[in-house]
Amino acid sequence: MTEQRKRNSIRAARLLLSLLGAAFLTGCGGADTEEVQDALSDGVITVGILDGEDAYATKTGDVYVGIEPEILEEAGASSGCTVTYRAAASSAELMALLDSGEIEVAAGRLTEQESYTATHLSTRNYGKSGLYLLVPKHLYTDSLAGFSEGNIGISGSIPEAILSGLPGMEALQQAVYDDAAALAADLEGGVIKAGIVTEREALSVLRSGASLRAAELRNSPRLPEVFYLPNTAEYTTLRSELNTAINSYLNRQEE
């Protein structure tokens, strides 16, 4: 059995014990103090991460660098745990890995939204970013004005409550995409007239060589970005460690 499969089996057993109320909390140091098994007890924090090739997360060789790894490694060090990474190709894949128990933390500039927070634990935000408008390269606009005819592509990673608050959205025909690359392909093919995506998705589309233009949407709201964890009691200590590391990171930015 591989080391990863062993860890997955351990996590599945922990979840069952937690639901039955039959486990006891042991921290990384091994002291029994509560009636719930703590996620830090095996000394490993398994993180699912997106390589955004930006300041938040970039893979250099075999190492991830950036804001997210900096926070995660600090949380690991403070709890005496090793952080290991599992690459994901999209936010949808990231959350699927989290729900299957293959990872313990989802890191990918994921926005704080009710569809996730209702079923998962989340940290405080460690960053905020705006929404971006993708349009054909010959257009120069940062506004939804003029797109009342034809479909507009919407990234599925953007919270519905945020979209509904954008001026003019009610007049648009909207098509939701789980994959920003598919949205970009349809935009280049004329299937949709424009697309609304996150900052990281816009950067990814432009890096791919798509013949499109991106601009931050005028009067865009700022979307809080958080880490997500499984919604069970064994992960509350890990969330606390992450929040402490986030606070430390944000304090450093103010110095």
Side-chain angles (χ1 to χ4, degrees), residues 21 37 64 89 94-95 97 142 178 187 192 199 207 246 248:
Q37 180 77 27
Y64 285 97
L94 202 56
M95 295 307 290
L97 289 171
D142 61 357
D178 289 332
L187 179 53
I192 55 177
E199 178 184 359
R207 279 196 300 267
I246 291 169
S248 177

Side-chain angles (χ1 to χ4, degrees), residues 248-255:
S248 177
Y249 161 74
L250 294 175
N251 288 337
R252 289 194 295 274
Q253 306 315 300
E254 296 175 357
E255 294 176 354

Side-chain angles (χ1 to χ4, degrees), residues 202-218:
L203 291 172
S204 176
V205 166
L206 295 181
R207 279 196 300 267
S208 73
S211 184
L212 301 172
R213 188 178 303 280
E216 186 167 359
L217 196 60
R218 188 184 306 173

Side-chain angles (χ1 to χ4, degrees), residues 75-99:
S78 67
S79 58
C81 295
T82 300
V83 181
T84 63
Y85 295 95
R86 167 83 177 268
S90 67
S91 57
E93 181 184 351
L94 202 56
M95 295 307 290
L97 289 171
L98 186 64
D99 290 339

Side-chain angles (χ1 to χ4, degrees), residues 103-175:
I103 61 173
E104 298 172 292
V105 181
R109 298 187 71 179
L110 298 169
T111 56
E112 189 175 41
Q113 51 184 296
E114 187 177 355
S115 61
Y116 290 163
T117 57
T119 54
H120 301 83
L121 296 178
S122 62
T123 64
R124 67 157 299 178
N125 78 78
Y126 55 85
K128 293 183 178 182
S129 62
L131 299 177
Y132 278 69
L133 185 66
L134 287 176
V135 295
K137 209 158 192 176
H138 65 275
L139 290 181
Y140 292 83
T141 182
D142 61 357
S143 169
L144 293 175
F147 292 107
S148 57
E149 296 183 4
N151 285 343
I152 297 292
I154 307 293
S155 167
S157 63
I158 302 173
E160 186 176 346
I162 296 293
L163 289 169
S164 62
L166 294 177
M169 282 298 292
E170 67 281 353
L172 302 176
Q173 300 177 50
Q174 302 171 34

Side-chain angles (χ1 to χ4, degrees), residues 14 20 35 53 56 63 65 73 76 78 83 93 109 113-114 125 133 135 139 146 181 186 194 196 200:
R14 280 205 208 114
L20 294 174
E35 292 188 353
E53 297 184 68
Y56 283 81
V63 179
V65 297
E73 294 293 342
S78 67
V83 181
E93 181 184 351
R109 298 187 71 179
Q113 51 184 296
E114 187 177 355
N125 78 78
L133 185 66
V135 295
L139 290 181
D186 278 357
I196 301 176
R200 174 173 276 184

